[in-house]
Structures are given as structure tokens and as C-alpha cells.
Amino acid sequence: MRVRLLTIVSLFLLIASLPVHAHVGSPDVYYEGDAGPYHLFVTVRVPQVIPGVAEIQVRSQSGDVRSMQIVLLSLTGPGSTLPPTPDVAEQSKQDPQSFTGSLWLMESGALQVRILVEGSKGHGELSVPVASFAQRTLPMQRSLAAVLVFLTFFLAFGLVSIVNAGVRQGNLEPGQTPLASNRLRARLITAITVLVVVAVLFLGRRWWGSEAKDFQRGVDFFSPPAAKITLESGTRLAIRAKDQGDKWHHHVKLKEIVPDHGHLMHLFLIRVPGLDRMWHLHPDPVEGSDGAFAQDLPSMPAGHYQVFADVVDKNGFPWTLVGEVDLPEIDKAKPLAGDDSSWSGAPLDPAEKDSTVAQLPDGGRMVWQRDANSPIAANTATMLKFTVQDKNGKPAQDVEPYMGMAGHAEIMRSDLSVFAHIHPAGSVSMAALEMAQTGLMGHSTGQNAASMPMLMSGMNMPASSAPLPPDVSFPYGFPQPGDYRIFVQIKRAGQVETGAFDIHVR
Ligand SMILES: [Cu+2]
């Protein structure tokens, strides 16, 4: 890997700053799930540059875990079935239920962290998908640049003087003065040395520049792809990826994406500014097109809309296409059907206090179970827990699965620099999570990505007859301070209901 030296140098010497890309600004992984008999809460803090070190934190719900090992492997393909020797995660002395470790992410793409647990209930395994990519090119620290510039000139000047002195006086006895011919030869060779040194410095600078450009190309490759959003024939919205370069289109074929909890694409339309209208829709691929998707829009007011379209490529890498569109008023359209849903309410006002109660359209409420006195801090793993109440204020008895899960939450920062579509299992893509489970104990190994779409289409489970609990929780950490709006979507008695909550994150 050609960028290795550069990035390792950057990694050790440069200051980290806020992540700006991916999943749209929310690259860390928060996950809750079972490793056999052990219930674990996993946080993976991904590095800003690749290669880079990911920090893994795992907390077990019970105290019966003796040891834990972690290992990194590809999510799909041959590498996904051949895990290297795992590393031992260190058990915390203060909190024996917590384990930490770090893993080098050497390559970009869809990876997984496998966690192997030993404890009094035997062995357990868990795999968490991790999207690995460089988020940005880190700038060089000024002090480091100054030191390097000084050393460069010192060495260059030193080399020239050594050559000059060597040629002029190298063959002389002590005390002898150099001959005129020696001086002339020394001048000539010194001039050549200067030219060579200047050429080496020039080529070195070119090399550095091309490495930096290469690295930036990698950053651009994994930044959220721009979407081209067009309104066609009145009410039909078309979604396409804008030209992202040949390499991207070769690698990520929108014709070959895999279903993620029952749909190829989850499309979010949010009216800006204010975030006062939100649609969660599921466009279908356009027959015969090269990766275009389309959706018949429901009735909606005119406005400027931000668009996020979540898809998962065939390797299990989650992409969020980002775009904007101006829409005229759309009326007399077909009502929402299937898994499509919408929300409307008051604009996000940062001056307002944090909200912990959301009114639902049927008279019920959704309550955010949190201590309103303890503020939420950025980059802290938190459990966002909500309770659904019926119109009498009692815990709802009719919550049912919505797209196979107890709930879906969409989290966005007021400036839309962050967008995350998360689930009770956490911030990982559900399609990638399915892929990650194939290599685990109890699963037949050797399943590859090609067999996954079929396997995952089974995720669209029919609603079971027994109602779900009225509580739904989402593990998550807000990636940066600011004002956020959270949409929590659940299904009750056949109706999707959305609660909106505003929070100021410190
Ligand atoms: Cu979802």
C-alpha cells in the first residue's frame, strides 16, 4: 500500500479533529446484541485515516464473561472465512464487565469485527460490521512542518558542503592549501551536487504531492455520493447517483445492491430548513435503467427538500446518497402504502428546550426515557430509550414489528451534516449485519455475498400475533455537539407512528 508511510506518519503526528463524512457524518459503530449466551454492547471507534487503529469497547450485561478476543476480517469474499489469530481484549480492573482492545484497519471497505467470548456459560461469538474508510486528509502540524523544513535544508546544505570540502581538500596533507585546479574542480562538482540535491528535493515533493492526491481520491471515493433527484411526469421522483468517477461506478453498482430490511432503498425526504416535514419512502429500481430508482410521491407541500437515500452494496458497504430537490405542491396523490411513512410538525428551533414527549397522531404519546437534567455529550455511547403510550397514557399493548424490527430511528443534525438511520441493534446496516452472521458458529460457513439477497429478503417478517413491548431502544453516540432532531418510528395496529424529539448535544 503506497500511502502507508504517509498515513502512519500522519497518524502519529497529527491532531485528530471532527469526522466529516460517511453514513453522513456518523462513522462510529454502536451495536447491541448477543454473543451466544452473553448480551454485549459494542462500540467501535473508527480511525480518521486508513491504515489506522480502531478502538473496540465491549461491555457485557452480565458478570460471567471471563475473557474476550477480537479479530478483524472482511465482511464478504474469501477473507471473510479465514480469520487471522485474534487479539486478546483487555478486561477493565474497575469494571470487570468491560473489555477494550484496538485493531489496525489496514484496508478500506466492508469489514467486520468478530468478538469471541469465554465465560461460565461457555463460548459465544458475535460479528459487528464496520465500514472502513479514510474520512479526511489530515493537515500537517505547523511545528512539525517547521522542523521538517529545517532538517531538509540542514541536510541539503550539509551534503553540499561535505562534497565541496571533500573535493577541494580531501587529498591534501594537513596544513597544505588547495591548488587552483582543486578549487576549480570543487566548484564544478559542488554545482553538480547542488543540481542533484535540488532535483531530489523536487522529485520528493512531487512524490509527496501525488501520494497526498491518491489519499484524497480515497477519501472522495468513500464520501457520501451525490444524488441527482428529479421530478418526472408530475409526481414521480427519480433518484440516480451523479457521476462519481468510473472507479466508483465500477465498484458500487446500484443495479446490484442488496435489500436492507426488506427494501433496496430507504429514501428520506426532509423539508429544509426547519426539518418540519419528513417522509420515509422505499423507491423501486427502474426497469431497464442503469441503477435508477423511482417513487410515486404522496401528497406533500411545496418546498426545498433534503434527500438521503440509504443503500447497501453487494459487498455489504452502506452508502447514503445525498441530494436536494425543489418540489412543487403535490396533491391528489395516492395515499401512503406499505412501509412508507411520514411525519409533520413544528420546525426545529434550537432556542427551544430539549423535548422528551412526542404526541402521536392517534392521541397516544411517545416518551423519551432519559434524565432531562443530565445532558447528552457528543461521542458518548448512549441508549436512546422510548416508551409508547396509548391515548389513556398506559403503555401501548399493540406495538408490532415495522419492517421486521421494533423500531427505526433517523437522527439528523440541524444543519444536516449528520444523518444516521439506526435500529434497536444499533448503527450498523442491517444487511451488513446479516452478512456478518454467516461465518459465526451455528451458521454454515462458505456462504458468500451472492447468496445473501435471498437470505435477507426473508427479513421482511410477517407481524407476529404477540404484541411487542411498548419500549424500544437504540444504542447510539452523537458524533459532534449541536442541535439534533430524532425521528422514532414504530408500528401500532397496522399504522406507522413517528415521534420527533429535539436534543441539544454538548
Ligand atoms: Cu430502518
Side-chain angles (χ1 to χ4, degrees), residues 261 266 280 403 405 408 410 421-423:
H261 51 298
H266 293 261
H280 176 176
M403 291 185 277
M405 283 173 278
H408 305 248
E410 291 89 46
H421 167 194
I422 63 169
H423 300 101

Side-chain angles (χ1 to χ4, degrees), residues 468-497:
L468 293 174
D471 298 320
V472 57
S473 53
F474 304 89
Y476 188 64
F478 293 89
Q480 47 173 301
D483 294 297
Y484 288 81
R485 177 157 276 186
I486 305 173
F487 295 105
V488 180
Q489 305 199 281
I490 52 101
K491 197 170 183 180
R492 287 181 58 201
Q495 282 295 313
V496 180
E497 297 196 325

